[in-house]
Amino acid sequence: MRGVVAIAQNTVREVIRQRMVLVLALFGVGLVAASQVLSPLALGEGRKVVTDFGLAGSSLLATLLVVVLGSSLLHKELERRTIYAVMAKPIRRSEFLLGKFCGLWITAAALIAGMFAIVLGVVTVSYGETPWLVLGAMALTVLELGVITAIVVFFSSFTTPALTAFFAAATIVAGNFADDLLYFGSQGAAPWVARATEAVYWMLPHLTVFNARGAVVHGIAVAPERLAFAAAYGLLYLMALLIVAGAIFERREFR
Amino acid sequence: MRGWGGMVVAVVLAAALIALSGMVDRADRARRGAAAREELLYYPSGVWVRQATLGYETAAADLAWLRGIQYYGEHRLSDQRYDMIGHVMNIVTDLDPRFTQPYVFGAFVMSQELGQPQRGLELMEKGMRANPEDWKLAFETGFLHYVGTHDHAAAARYFARASALPGHPEYAERFAAFAAQRAGDRDMAILLWKRVEATGNKYMQEVARRELRRLGDGAEG
């Protein structure tokens, strides 16, 4: 377990070195500018517009960070051959993978927390009211990022950075269309097609489970049972992915 | 001397760039005007728009809302034709059905600017189906019946519905009673428009002032 923690800490340091603070600063400046420019144009809906853009921007940026940085994390270790030094220590490959996952997820969660804090601050200062309900959406976004990080780590365990980024992005897009896939499969298709689409439906991550951005903006709180369900689903999904990724990575030949 | 030469080249290049930018902008202006109209004409609609936003539907609704206001503002300053406003507000509300302002704004424009209160009422009905507990939508529907279709019985029904919903102000009950008792009363219309003048957005306030002038109310500015 100590090995996992050490690798996670190292991954956090590595990701932070990629100018994450700059991302936060740019996000803050962008949101302040947007609130000043958009508020007069939104006919009294400035608070909603700024909160919406803030939440959507945070989630998009954090997802991009996970996909872009995550897809090359393992590859860098292989390319620089630093993985051999790590593997010489009493640590299993699957633990190494788990450490990478934890490091990336923790960093993404910290980034999300920072960006949501900026949203809360900007909305409070601009409109004199703190939208505390966005914290429920933040918890769900952190869980969503856990699933996305696991997807990235899963693909990076057996393919190149470019393909990892592509497959991860495709899975995220498909995860938002999971319900439609099931619907089309059930509309008079051959039985085997219906069964295949149903299987894909269950395999895809149901990312809509983690999306409460639209609700909190309209003053609807995230219910504790929804949070509990999302946590259970997200943790089970990412654990399953990490187990499969670990098994693949154990068998992978390093060149 | 070489330094001067470099400066002259830089100034000439900068001037050429500015001149070219001006030419490109002029050439683009006509195309942009046509494109803006087409953009709204082919603005995507239907439930698929929601899926295409990949979970960012409320932010997409805000973008469409801002574009709709821009469209209204542009046409207000030019030809005063707002043919696409219903289409745009339908998209905004498909993306974010809980966003109530576009229902009211779109319905007002269709009723008072386009002279198509029925279309406005359809948008309000859509809003009430999506937000059955929102007293404002029921109240504004009553309002549109009163001043748009002049169906005072329907207006009274919607005011009464608004007064039965949580969070309604005391005037909702008063208006329901007024509408039922004194249907067709000019004073009632003035009262309603004055409320819009006091609480609506700047465009709706302008419409309210115009209607108040038309009704011959001397109190307004």
Side-chain angles (χ1 to χ4, degrees):
Chain A
M1 197 60 201
R2 271 220 319 257
V4 173
V5 173
I7 288 164
Q9 282 173 338
N10 194 46
T11 307
V12 170
R13 271 196 294 272
E14 199 179 330
V15 178
I16 286 174
R17 241 181 270 138
Q18 313 269 347
R19 298 174 194 267
M20 210 175 81
V21 178
L22 188 69
V23 173
L24 269 179
L26 284 177
F27 177 80
V29 171
L31 197 62
V32 170
S35 68
Q36 297 306 308
V37 173
L38 296 177
S39 281
L41 303 175
L43 285 187
E45 295 295 333
R47 182 175 176 270
K48 177 195 182 295
V49 171
V50 171
T51 313
D52 265 339
F53 285 171
L55 301 191
S58 318
S59 161
L60 259 176
L61 266 177
T63 303
L64 272 176
L65 177 113
V66 167
V67 173
V68 172
L69 296 184
S71 54
S72 59
L73 265 184
L74 274 183
H75 186 76
K76 268 187 199 158
E77 299 276 359
L78 290 167
E79 207 176 45
R80 289 191 215 131
R81 302 189 183 278
T82 43
I83 195 161
Y84 296 109
V86 179
M87 288 300 123
K89 297 194 166 72
I91 184 164
R92 291 171 58 188
R93 287 184 183 192
S94 51
E95 288 175 330
F96 175 77
L97 209 63
L98 184 63
K100 285 279 169 198
F101 163 80
C102 290
L104 190 56
W105 188 18
I106 289 166
T107 318
L111 183 72
I112 273 288
M115 287 192 286
F116 270 64
I118 291 172
V119 174
L120 281 174
V122 169
V123 174
T124 305
V125 170
S126 304
Y127 304 100
E129 207 179 319
T130 310
W132 293 112
L133 291 181
V134 302
L135 294 177
M138 185 186 88
L140 288 174
T141 307
V142 168
L143 287 166
E144 182 182 28
L145 284 172
V147 172
I148 292 171
T149 309
I151 290 167
V152 171
V153 168
F154 168 73
F155 285 119
S156 69
S157 69
F158 61 87
T159 189
T160 62
L163 284 176
T164 297
F166 174 74
F167 288 143
T171 309
I172 293 166
V173 171
N176 281 287
F177 284 100
D179 293 336
D180 303 303
L181 190 73
L182 187 68
Y183 171 77
F184 285 124
S186 66
Q187 295 301 300
W192 71 269
V193 174
R195 273 197 296 277
T197 48
E198 196 176 342
V200 175
Y201 167 80
W202 286 111
M203 276 195 287
L204 282 172
H206 291 208
L207 297 178
T208 47
V209 168
F210 307 106
N211 185 0
R213 290 182 292 270
V216 296
V217 163
H218 290 294
I220 300 166
V222 177
E225 56 269 28
R226 177 169 182 190
L227 204 57
F229 174 76
Y233 173 72
L235 292 175
L236 279 174
Y237 194 93
L238 70 86
M239 273 159 53
L241 267 181
L242 289 176
I243 288 168
V244 178
I248 293 170
F249 199 58
E250 289 282 355
R251 284 166 184 75
R252 184 167 170 178
E253 277 187 30
F254 300 145
R255 272 174 286 150
Chain B
M1 199 59 198
R2 271 180 66 191
W4 279 103
M7 201 177 281
V8 168
V9 171
V11 169
V12 169
L13 279 177
L17 187 66
I18 291 167
L20 271 175
S21 305
M23 282 162 68
V24 169
D25 179 61
R26 269 196 299 280
D28 254 18
R29 209 166 282 171
R31 189 189 57 77
R32 275 204 300 266
R37 279 190 296 279
E38 280 172 19
E39 182 193 358
L40 282 182
L41 193 63
Y42 297 109
Y43 228 59
S45 57
V47 286
W48 291 107
V49 175
R50 209 176 149 79
Q51 262 84 347
T53 59
L54 298 176
Y56 297 104
E57 59 275 347
T58 53
D62 295 339
L63 282 176
W65 166 242
L66 291 169
R67 181 70 190 91
I69 294 165
Q70 193 192 354
Y71 169 82
Y72 179 81
E74 279 166 11
H75 286 268
R76 198 179 168 81
L77 294 172
S78 55
D79 57 6
Q80 309 218 329
R81 288 177 60 94
Y82 313 100
D83 303 329
M84 301 305 293
I85 201 81
H87 180 54
V88 179
M89 293 307 151
N90 258 317
I91 294 161
V92 177
T93 52
D94 279 344
L95 286 168
D96 188 355
R98 294 194 195 102
F99 192 6
T100 54
Q101 176 82 322
Y103 297 111
V104 179
F105 181 69
F108 263 76
V109 174
M110 283 190 275
S111 175
Q112 300 309 114
E113 308 277 6
L114 288 177
Q116 298 172 358
Q118 214 48 52
R119 279 183 66 202
L121 287 167
E122 279 166 23
L123 188 60
M124 293 302 283
E125 286 293 339
K126 179 183 173 189
M128 283 188 290
R129 279 196 302 276
N131 304 277
E133 294 294 299
D134 193 303
W135 71 266
K136 282 183 200 143
L137 289 173
F139 186 87
E140 302 293 357
T141 308
F143 184 106
L144 280 179
H145 272 295
Y146 201 95
V147 299
T149 61
H150 305 290
D151 182 348
H152 304 118
R157 240 187 358 261
Y158 283 103
F159 287 144
R161 187 199 280 195
S163 66
L165 291 172
H168 72 274
E170 55 82 27
Y171 62 71
E173 279 153 7
R174 200 149 35 92
F175 281 12
F178 268 143
Q181 283 174 16
R182 304 165 68 186
D185 194 335
R186 171 179 163 277
D187 292 345
M188 173 72 171
I190 289 174
L191 256 179
L192 285 164
W193 282 121
K194 278 192 170 168
R195 197 191 61 80
V196 174
E197 194 188 13
T199 59
N201 64 50
K202 68 172 182 178
Y203 288 127
M204 286 165 73
Q205 283 171 343
E206 282 175 32
V207 173
R209 284 188 201 112
R210 191 189 62 206
E211 294 297 327
L212 283 167
R213 275 195 297 276
R214 209 169 52 78
L215 288 163
D217 180 67
E220 90 290 349

